[in-house]
Amino acid sequence: MSASGLAAAAALPDAVVAGQDPLARGPRPRGGIVLTIVIAVVALFWISPLLLLVTTGLRPLSDFVANGPLSWPSELTWQNFRDAWAIGKFDDTYRNSAFLLVVKVPLGVLLSAMLAFALSKLKIRFRRTIMFAVFLGLTIPIYITIVPVFIMLRSAGLTDNVLGLIGPYLAFGIPLEVLILQSFFRQIPDSIVESARIDGASEWRIFFTIVIPLSAPALITVAILDAVATWNEFLFALIILSSDTNKTIPVGLLSFQGQFSNNNTGLAAGILIAVVPILIAYALLQRWIVGGLTAGAEKG
Amino acid sequence: MATATAVRVSAPAPAGAPRKKRYGGLTPWLFAIPALAVYATFLVYPALTSLFFSFTNWDGLSPGYDIVGVDNYVKMTQDPVVRQALLNNLIWTVVTIVVPVIIGLALATLLNGKVRGKTALRLLFYTPCVLPLVSIASIWGWLYNPDSGVINEVLRTVGLGNLAQPWLGQDSTALWAVMVPAVWLRTGFPMLLYLAALQGIPDELYEAATVDGATKSQQFWHITMPSLRPAHYIVLALSLIDSFKVFDMIYAMTYGGPGTATQVMGTWMYANVFQYYQAGYGTAIAVVITVIAVAVSIPYVLSQTKEHT
């Protein structure tokens, strides 16, 4: 399961105002201390794998071996992270993943927004057919496309190159992005678009100066969901990228894992290096992620 | 829509005359074509090409191949691994939908009560959902380590050391062991959706029910559950679409092993194409699971297409 699949929730009809946290409203609850404690304990248990990862990554291997994984570290060290960074070639994998993010996400959002605009605000022929064909893409498993995509990229000389991933990543991002954006664009009143048309604005001008600015919350939500999916994608990257210097973080982590099977602290540090940026990004952007996922869920 | 048409026609249409449906000419296509071209090139065309390959005996390497008709599909009916993979796909789909939905609904109901720090708690429960699947696989592979892993260590610590075992390394436990992180990862999503939906139920309904003497459990079954119907639909539809496509988690944790204990259609396809050089057979496996996934999801896709039209 992928973040993108989950995110398809944002496809809910009548997305209210994406980005606005629909769960944050209501009066502040009072009391309920017992319930709060119970849930907090469950929550700590729930994320205990991550907590254990932190305590393990920060201790020397000898301490881990001597006292077991559950003990509190008797000594703290950054050495595991230094070792893991170098052995895991995180210089390269971070650069490659970041490059994909910067190129693919804005491009994907722009292309999807254009198609969504055509489907929601312009009179395009075969509209229902196009929507059906595009939304069907949500259900297509990536692995039915990998053999032909691999052949295409090989003949274009784009295997073992992150550039080769851009096309397939765009294609698999489009269904969800279009689904969310067209449902959002629909809520922009036709009267605004019509009055701009009467004033002589071209469709391009309407798109860039009216629709895009009015849809900033939806565009940001879609961009974040797409960024998470891009950062986490595994199968295409596994097949297309072969040399260590060209790998993305998920693929790099897999080979790293193999080399560290007996070094528990180093492995923990390496996994943390791979996940900490996304955890920080999530903590900062969670309002948008949650908004995108739950927009419209209140509709009865 | 009616307003739009009225503005665009130059002369007012005679009253009562059926208005001709108008299309916007070329401009809409200029907006639509870039995305459609990418979608067609990297998704539709490869999927159709795979369909073609599934009727060949191509090995994935040589330049040539023969068209062998439905041989690959016939072979699948006799392949015990395919039978196991389909069964595993089915078990996987049912468990990774039902368990997260139940836990997610329970968490949402609890978090919707008088609880402090809801935002922080919600954040914690949803955290696994944003991690790369491969990192989740790494974390759990590490927890499951037979010798130094936390899970066996916990069992030894609480005096159940005789239950410690190589969770991922034996047929009897491997599939269930891989499903645990999948459940962990997938619970946050229904929780969020149910929370949003629960907040949309008016308090008056519960107040009125309380006045009428309805118990908490009656309120849950007669007010909460019916009100959550749209959320159930979305959660189930999207979980179904996602569960069918399982590949990453199993590949990164067990590669389908030990033996074939955790093979699903995705990993068995991968093994055939990239390890056994049977691209024709591998793509036939991919075609079967795609057809099932698409067929099952068509009601959802249609409902999304029909929305607002």
Side-chain angles (χ1 to χ4, degrees):
Chain A
M1 183 207 49
S2 61
S4 75
L6 283 184
L12 302 178
D14 288 336
V16 195
V17 182
Q20 197 182 70
D21 188 341
L23 309 182
R25 59 188 176 71
R28 213 182 168 75
R30 303 170 65 83
I33 290 293
V34 177
L35 188 58
T36 305
I37 292 172
V38 170
I39 297 181
V41 169
V42 176
L44 280 180
F45 177 75
W46 194 253
I47 59 151
S48 60
L50 291 175
L51 300 178
L52 283 162
L53 214 58
V54 174
T55 58
T56 306
L58 283 170
R59 70 203 298 186
L61 182 59
S62 54
D63 178 31
F64 177 88
V65 172
N67 299 314
L70 296 175
S71 63
W72 194 249
S74 60
E75 188 187 335
L76 295 180
T77 173
W78 289 107
Q79 193 57 41
N80 297 320
F81 290 90
R82 280 191 284 269
D83 295 345
W85 183 276
I87 294 167
K89 302 209 167 51
F90 282 106
D91 281 338
D92 293 318
T93 55
Y94 263 102
R95 191 190 56 241
N96 296 329
S97 284
F99 172 81
L100 271 176
L101 218 55
V102 171
V103 175
K104 190 268 151 173
V105 176
L107 191 57
V109 173
L110 176 67
L111 295 187
S112 302
M114 284 165 58
L115 176 53
F117 177 63
L119 290 173
S120 59
K121 288 288 171 212
L122 301 178
K123 293 178 174 39
I124 190 165
R125 207 177 264 273
F126 311 121
R127 183 169 149 270
R128 288 274 294 277
T129 314
I130 297 170
M131 286 172 81
F132 181 77
V134 170
F135 296 167
L136 205 58
L138 281 172
T139 71
I140 309 276
I142 282 176
Y143 51 77
I144 194 178
T145 66
I146 56 176
V147 175
V149 163
F150 183 80
I151 299 168
M152 274 165 63
L153 293 177
R154 194 176 51 195
S155 56
L158 283 175
T159 43
D160 201 18
N161 186 335
V162 281
L163 285 176
L165 293 174
I166 292 176
Y169 281 15
L170 284 172
F172 276 91
I174 282 170
L176 176 66
E177 291 173 63
V178 173
L179 192 58
I180 299 173
L181 290 175
Q182 60 90 26
S183 108
F184 190 87
F185 290 169
R186 239 172 250 292
Q187 293 164 45
I188 297 173
D190 281 333
S191 55
I192 299 181
V193 177
E194 277 316 315
S195 49
R197 266 187 203 129
I198 293 167
D199 292 345
S202 71
E203 305 294 1
W204 294 97
R205 197 176 164 131
I206 292 170
F207 177 69
F208 282 109
T209 61
I210 298 176
V211 173
I212 291 283
L214 280 178
S215 315
L219 293 167
I220 294 172
T221 302
V222 166
I224 292 169
L225 295 173
D226 192 44
V228 171
T230 302
W231 190 264
N232 293 348
E233 201 284 330
F234 174 61
L235 181 53
F236 275 127
L238 173 74
I239 286 150
I240 305 297
L241 310 174
S242 44
S243 44
D244 279 352
T245 51
N246 292 331
K247 286 177 178 169
T248 56
I249 290 199
V251 191
L253 186 62
L254 191 72
S255 43
F256 174 84
Q257 190 190 354
Q259 299 168 38
F260 269 67
S261 46
N262 289 316
N263 180 346
N264 274 280
T265 52
L267 181 58
I271 298 171
L272 278 173
I273 290 173
V275 303
V276 161
I278 205 155
L279 286 181
I280 294 172
Y282 165 56
L284 294 175
L285 301 171
Q286 55 98 14
R287 195 172 74 91
W288 301 94
I289 298 180
V290 172
L293 284 167
T294 55
E298 290 170 63
K299 196 188 97 167
Chain B
M1 269 310 158
T3 351
T5 317
V7 172
R8 286 177 75 86
V9 291
S10 43
R19 200 165 270 155
K20 252 172 86 181
K21 202 172 184 187
R22 283 161 191 279
Y23 292 103
L26 183 65
T27 316
W29 291 104
L30 294 179
F31 280 95
I33 279 173
L36 292 179
V38 172
Y39 181 72
T41 308
F42 292 101
L43 200 154
V44 179
Y45 169 75
L48 295 175
T49 312
S50 274
L51 182 62
F52 169 74
F53 282 146
S54 75
F55 296 109
T56 71
N57 64 357
W58 191 39
D59 60 10
L61 296 170
S62 349
Y65 47 76
D66 299 317
I67 293 176
V68 295
V70 294
D71 281 11
N72 288 322
Y73 293 93
V74 173
K75 185 177 166 190
M76 283 174 68
T77 62
Q78 291 145 6
D79 182 345
V81 184
V82 164
R83 220 164 296 154
Q84 174 149 30
L86 274 175
L87 181 64
N88 286 348
N89 264 100
L90 185 68
I91 297 173
W92 178 279
T93 304
V94 171
V95 173
T96 63
I97 292 175
V98 171
V99 181
V101 165
I102 292 173
I103 304 178
L105 181 56
L107 285 173
T109 312
L110 289 174
L111 280 173
N112 197 42
K114 288 180 177 175
V115 175
R116 294 181 187 194
K118 279 180 191 177
T119 311
L121 291 169
R122 195 183 73 198
L123 196 71
L124 291 181
F125 284 114
Y126 191 72
T127 300
C129 299
V130 294
L131 301 178
L133 275 158
V134 176
S135 70
I136 289 179
S138 300
I139 293 168
W140 284 84
W142 175 76
L143 294 172
Y144 279 130
N145 186 302
D147 307 316
S148 57
V150 171
I151 290 169
N152 283 345
E153 183 71 16
V154 169
L155 289 172
R156 285 189 280 264
T157 307
V158 299
L160 293 169
N162 55 333
L163 291 181
Q165 50 198 302
W167 299 97
L168 292 171
Q170 57 190 13
D171 289 9
S172 55
T173 52
L175 185 66
W176 305 99
V178 182
M179 276 192 287
V180 170
V183 167
W184 185 60
L185 149 80
R186 302 182 61 126
T187 297
F189 168 68
M191 178 199 72
L192 275 190
L193 251 91
Y194 284 132
L195 255 177
L198 285 171
Q199 309 221 326
I201 306 176
D203 288 339
E204 294 80 38
L205 284 179
Y206 293 104
E207 283 157 19
T210 311
V211 171
D212 292 344
T215 64
K216 283 281 177 198
S217 114
Q218 282 170 332
Q219 291 181 20
F220 180 81
W221 290 108
H222 294 291
I223 299 175
T224 311
M225 287 305 267
S227 307
L228 289 180
R229 200 170 295 140
H232 290 317
Y233 173 70
I234 291 152
V235 165
L236 292 177
L238 294 172
S239 307
L240 189 64
I241 288 174
D242 248 3
S243 282
F244 255 105
K245 300 196 231 179
V246 50
F247 174 87
D248 297 18
M249 185 77 85
I250 288 182
Y251 181 85
M253 284 188 85
T254 64
Y255 297 93
T260 56
T262 59
Q263 287 290 2
V264 286
M265 294 295 265
T267 51
W268 188 229
M269 179 264 177
Y270 182 90
N272 273 288
V273 173
F274 294 98
Q275 283 159 11
Y276 308 141
Y277 301 109
Q278 302 196 22
Y281 187 52
T283 48
I285 294 169
V287 167
V288 166
I289 200 74
T290 304
V291 168
I292 298 175
V294 168
V296 173
S297 316
I298 285 229
Y300 171 76
V301 175
L302 275 177
S303 74
Q304 291 300 313
T305 311
K306 278 184 188 145
E307 229 17 91
H308 309 283
T309 47

